[in-house]
Amino acid sequence: MIELIRRNRLLFTAVGVLILLIVVLSVYGARPTRSRIVDETVNAVAYPFQAGFTKTASWLSGIFDRYVFLVRLKAENEQLNLENQALKEELNHYINGAIQFDILREQLKFKEADPEVRVYAEVVGESLDNFHHALLINKGHLAGIRRNFPVVLREGVVGRVQSVTALQSVVQLIVDRRHRFPVILQRSRERMILEGGGGSLRLKAPDRGIVLGQGTSLRMERIRMLADVKQGDRVITSGLAGIFPKGLLVGIVTGVAREQHELFQTATIQPVVAFNKIEGVYVILVDKNDSGQPFFSNP
Amino acid sequence: MRAWIYPAIGLASFWLELTAIPYLSIFGIKPNLFLLTVLVLGLRWMSPWLFVYGVAVGIALDVFSHGMLGVYGISFFIISFLAIYVGSAIYENTLWFTMVSVAGLTLAEGLISISIFEILDSTAPWWQWLSQRVLPAAIYHAVLAPFLAWGLIWLERLLKFTESVRPRP
């Protein structure tokens, strides 16, 4: 037996490793929250290289931007001067508007309250495979970030924190097919569930409608015929799942299709965030409607 | 085969994955340099270190994509076996062999990984992923593989590798 094992050492080792991997997958795959130790180890090993790589790349890019691409600078300068003059005029117009706005706001005693604590993080990488949609950001535990914290931009919702290590986190984008959260139509208050759909989004209506996104747009499918959905409707977070605060913009309905013979209607949604152009994101640490504890966090 | 070459190639791949590969995305399909290196190294070299390399980069890919540990670990491990087997059974130092075998093995790896994803989550769009992600990636890898193979041959000459290396022109 020992001789057999010795002769087929490679085969036995391979089978052993394979069994070990299957055990790891069955233990951690079903409950990703348990994989933190391995996650953190891989991240800790990769972080110095990754940080170095990112800095080197930005340094090289800076050299190209500052020195190599100077050839077109003169023409660009003239163009910018023209734009500058136009913008000055426009700015003057806006300053007047802003003064009027301030006066009106004071008169109405409108108080702008935004107690959300946000951490800005730079995007340093993206999902390495073609099936999932995730971003790697350069802030982690030490910045107060925890799992499932919402990630946003001024434009709208970006995603949630999938995993955290001390110095960096992985953000699962809302277009990832594993993502699912409740939303409402801002105008008609129709409630729906939004779920990712492999490069796109899927929306489930209250009444079991599903929205599928395709590429950079989204598509709502199986929305009940009586649901009030119109072109231009804004889709916002409902705040019901405990991950995203209420009222964050997700996308805008760009078209609704109703077929006589169908039981459901279909709508196309344009997401407000350009997911392929994100350079930095905000992670919300405290919900404005919350007592201070973040949503559904598993620290 | 000198074992240190694998971490070196792994780090270089990681660097390129972070810096250059996102710019090579065509219609949302990025080449997977980790997989490409496993395949080309498996086809060309016959080192047992490839299994360690395959599992390591597979787990790194798991961490930096979906967070479910083991999916790519298993698929890369199996595919490193297949790559070595294909390399030892029918190796030819030709462009077509490299392209066709890399495309086929990418397809096989894709089938394994998306099947595991489907086992873990029955709603995973298996057919959509196969047709819209795996197949284009296989073609993309087939185009890139000869460049990687040439790079590897250059490396062999530079470092004077002889053991376990298949004949070169």
Side-chain angles (χ1 to χ4, degrees), chain A residues 184-214:
Chain A
I184 48 177
L185 291 180
Q186 201 170 44
R187 181 186 54 83
S188 63
R189 316 312 285 181
E190 289 277 358
R191 284 189 294 165
M192 300 178 181
I193 303 289
L194 183 74
E195 54 180 36
S200 52
L201 294 174
R202 278 198 298 188
L203 261 179
K204 272 188 182 169
D207 326 334
R208 272 34 75 185
I210 298 172
V211 181
L212 289 165
Q214 302 244 322

Side-chain angles (χ1 to χ4, degrees), chain B residues 114-153:
Chain B
I114 60 177
S115 300
I116 299 173
F117 282 130
E118 203 190 22
I119 290 168
L120 294 172
D121 173 8
S122 58
T123 62
W126 193 91
W127 177 247
Q128 190 190 346
W129 275 355
L130 183 69
S131 57
Q132 293 177 11
R133 302 276 153 184
V134 177
L135 274 174
I139 296 165
Y140 204 169
H141 282 185
V143 173
L144 293 178
F147 297 102
L148 204 65
W150 288 328
L152 205 62
I153 291 169

Side-chain angles (χ1 to χ4, degrees), chain A residues 10-11 13-15 17-18 21-22 24-25 28-30 32 35 38-39 42-43 46 49-50 53-54 56-57 124-134 136 162-163 168 170 177-178 197-199 202, chain B residues 11 14-15 17-19 22 28-32 34 48 51 55 59-61 63-74 77-78 81 110 113-114 116-117 120-121 123-125 128-129 133-134 137:
Chain A
L10 189 63
L11 183 66
T13 314
V15 171
V17 172
L18 193 58
L21 283 169
I22 290 169
V24 167
L25 180 64
Y28 294 122
S35 62
V38 187
D39 267 10
V42 174
N43 266 295
F49 297 105
Q50 193 185 8
F53 293 158
T54 310
T56 314
V124 291
E126 56 183 56
S127 174
L128 299 184
D129 73 356
N130 283 318
F131 304 121
H132 299 91
H133 296 80
L136 195 64
Q162 176 181 290
S163 62
Q168 56 189 21
V170 178
R177 56 169 299 283
R178 295 168 297 159
R202 278 198 298 188
Chain B
L11 279 177
F14 189 51
W15 175 55
E17 280 282 357
L18 288 172
T19 53
I29 305 293
K30 291 177 291 187
N32 187 334
F34 286 145
F51 304 131
V55 171
I59 287 178
L61 200 59
V63 170
F64 290 111
S65 51
H66 49 79
M68 290 182 285
L69 290 181
V71 177
Y72 290 123
I74 290 173
F77 181 73
I78 296 170
F81 247 112
S113 55
I114 60 177
I116 299 173
F117 282 130
L120 294 172
D121 173 8
T123 62
Q128 190 190 346
W129 275 355
R133 302 276 153 184
V134 177

Side-chain angles (χ1 to χ4, degrees), chain A residues 102-169:
Chain A
D102 280 343
I103 293 166
L104 286 170
R105 189 171 63 176
E106 281 303 309
Q107 284 176 347
L108 290 168
K109 298 188 184 304
F110 177 73
K111 189 180 173 187
E112 198 174 68
D114 190 9
E116 284 172 355
V117 178
R118 296 174 184 185
V119 172
Y120 181 77
E122 283 177 30
V123 174
V124 291
E126 56 183 56
S127 174
L128 299 184
D129 73 356
N130 283 318
F131 304 121
H132 299 91
H133 296 80
L135 295 175
L136 195 64
I137 57 173
N138 67 347
K139 294 275 169 64
H141 269 310
L142 297 180
I145 296 172
R146 300 288 182 273
R147 241 184 125 254
N148 281 335
F149 273 18
V151 181
V152 298
L153 274 175
R154 200 173 47 183
E155 296 92 317
V157 183
V158 174
R160 68 170 186 99
V161 176
Q162 176 181 290
S163 62
V164 194
T165 58
L167 296 165
Q168 56 189 21
S169 312

Side-chain angles (χ1 to χ4, degrees), chain B residues 22-126:
Chain B
Y23 297 103
L24 297 179
S25 173
I26 299 175
F27 299 117
I29 305 293
K30 291 177 291 187
N32 187 334
L33 204 56
F34 286 145
L35 178 59
L36 261 175
T37 51
V38 168
L39 298 181
V40 176
L41 289 172
L43 289 172
R44 181 122 193 101
W45 295 350
M46 292 174 288
S47 169
W49 283 106
L50 185 72
F51 304 131
V52 181
Y53 177 77
V55 171
V57 295
I59 287 178
L61 200 59
D62 282 327
V63 170
F64 290 111
S65 51
H66 49 79
M68 290 182 285
L69 290 181
V71 177
Y72 290 123
I74 290 173
S75 65
F76 276 40
F77 181 73
I78 296 170
I79 220 65
S80 56
F81 247 112
L82 282 177
I84 287 182
Y85 176 76
V86 169
S88 47
I90 47 170
Y91 183 75
E92 274 179 49
N93 200 358
T94 61
L95 188 72
W96 284 111
F97 170 80
T98 310
M99 290 178 77
V100 170
S101 50
V102 164
L105 288 166
T106 301
L107 205 57
E109 190 281 331
L111 281 170
I112 296 167
S113 55
I114 60 177
S115 300
I116 299 173
F117 282 130
E118 203 190 22
I119 290 168
L120 294 172
D121 173 8
S122 58
T123 62
W126 193 91

